[in-house]
Amino acid sequence: MRSFIVPWPDPSLGRELGRPFRILAVSDDEDRALDQDVNRATIQPVDLVVGCGDLAPDYLAFVADALRSQVAYVRGNHDRGAAWLTGARKNLPPPIEPAGAGPDRTGGLWLVGFGWPGVERGDAQPNERSAWLQAIRAACGRAGRQRPLVVLSHVPPAGYGDMPGSNYHRGFRGYRWFLRRARPALWLHGHVHPAAADAAVVDADGTPVVNVTGATLLDLDPSATEVRPGSLASRSVTPPAARST
């Protein structure tokens, strides 16, 4: 599990908590270390669980329930089928949309969500046009809102943590346009395996773009001046028990 301290522009966030607001972001690969009580206790308290796609709804619900946290998420390209037609509706709130969601659903943050374009229709291929429509809708939905923004997406913005030589794992240009227009305080994404990326965190003109594939702990700290390794770097997390085959 990776851990980062992230600068946050709003000093009121976490003021009542007496500490930085903490997000556990998960995507694509289930982190089996979270199955164990001792590991969950190590990362507590968690104020918001965030899902960036390609995880079973039961897993997302389990992580949020086990950490006694709210959950906010977007769907990935594999998030289709019966589990998302039945189980997700029973165990999870609706996914975050491009128009955004405010503090009543997100623990105090304003979130914008870019799920895999067309996942609701079962589309499996990347669709740049649909990604542009998401970005335009998000830009219109931001009118008049003066709140630091966190973007959740499955696919990263083009040129920021993506794989330009891969048709399937290349970022969307529409997302890059929205990033440059909205200047979010933080952008979280999955879809690209960390081993295939140059870095887990990419600076996009002041916006940290973070690949959260697996599990990533983020402390939003108004006193921080740069992204740096977080508190988990100095703690011990017990590896998951080996599974019998």
Side-chain angles (χ1 to χ4, degrees):
M1 183 184 299
R2 296 177 299 278
S3 176
F4 298 104
I5 295 171
V6 178
W8 188 253
D10 180 6
S12 68
L13 183 69
R15 182 177 292 160
E16 293 184 3
L17 301 173
R19 56 170 174 78
F21 189 93
R22 175 167 287 182
I23 294 174
L24 176 67
V26 292
S27 184
D28 293 83
D29 298 326
E30 296 183 6
D31 189 329
R32 302 320 317 181
L34 293 172
D35 291 351
Q36 300 187 42
D37 291 341
V38 64
N39 292 333
R40 296 196 299 270
T42 298
I43 66 173
Q44 287 279 39
V46 170
D47 302 298
L48 181 66
V49 171
V50 162
C52 287
D54 282 1
L55 290 171
D58 287 350
Y59 176 78
L60 272 181
F62 158 73
V63 172
D65 288 347
L67 293 172
R68 300 182 296 280
S69 172
Q70 294 190 74
V71 60
Y73 67 96
V74 294
R75 289 166 63 179
N77 52 296
H78 294 299
D79 292 335
R80 308 185 303 272
W84 284 96
L85 294 174
T86 56
R89 293 179 180 176
K90 292 190 297 183
N91 299 319
L92 293 172
I96 302 296
E97 297 289 340
D104 59 327
R105 286 186 54 198
T106 64
L109 303 177
W110 188 269
L111 303 183
V112 159
F114 297 142
W116 180 263
V119 67
E120 301 85 358
R121 304 185 300 273
D123 293 350
Q125 295 302 311
N127 190 320
E128 184 71 55
R129 180 179 181 275
S130 293
W132 269 104
L133 292 175
Q134 289 178 318
I136 292 169
R137 182 182 172 196
C140 293
R142 282 285 296 155
R145 296 195 177 103
Q146 302 299 318
R147 183 185 297 275
L149 177 67
V150 178
V151 178
L152 317 179
S153 67
H154 184 57
V155 178
Y160 296 105
D162 61 343
M163 298 173 62
S166 167
N167 178 58
Y168 213 70
H169 294 93
R170 184 169 55 232
F172 288 126
R173 296 188 301 276
Y175 293 1
R176 182 177 63 199
W177 171 83
F178 180 77
L179 184 153
R180 292 174 174 174
R181 177 186 177 94
R183 303 285 183 177
L186 180 63
W187 190 302
L188 308 177
H189 73 88
H191 194 55
V192 179
H193 196 280
D198 292 335
V201 182
V202 178
D203 179 78
D205 298 323
T207 296
V209 179
V210 185
N211 184 338
V212 300
T213 297
T216 303
L217 199 65
L218 303 122
D219 286 329
L220 309 188
D221 189 348
S223 68
T225 58
E226 62 182 1
V227 179
R228 64 181 190 270
S231 57
L232 194 65
S234 61
R235 300 186 189 181
S236 174
V237 174
T238 303
R243 295 185 176 184
S244 60
T245 58

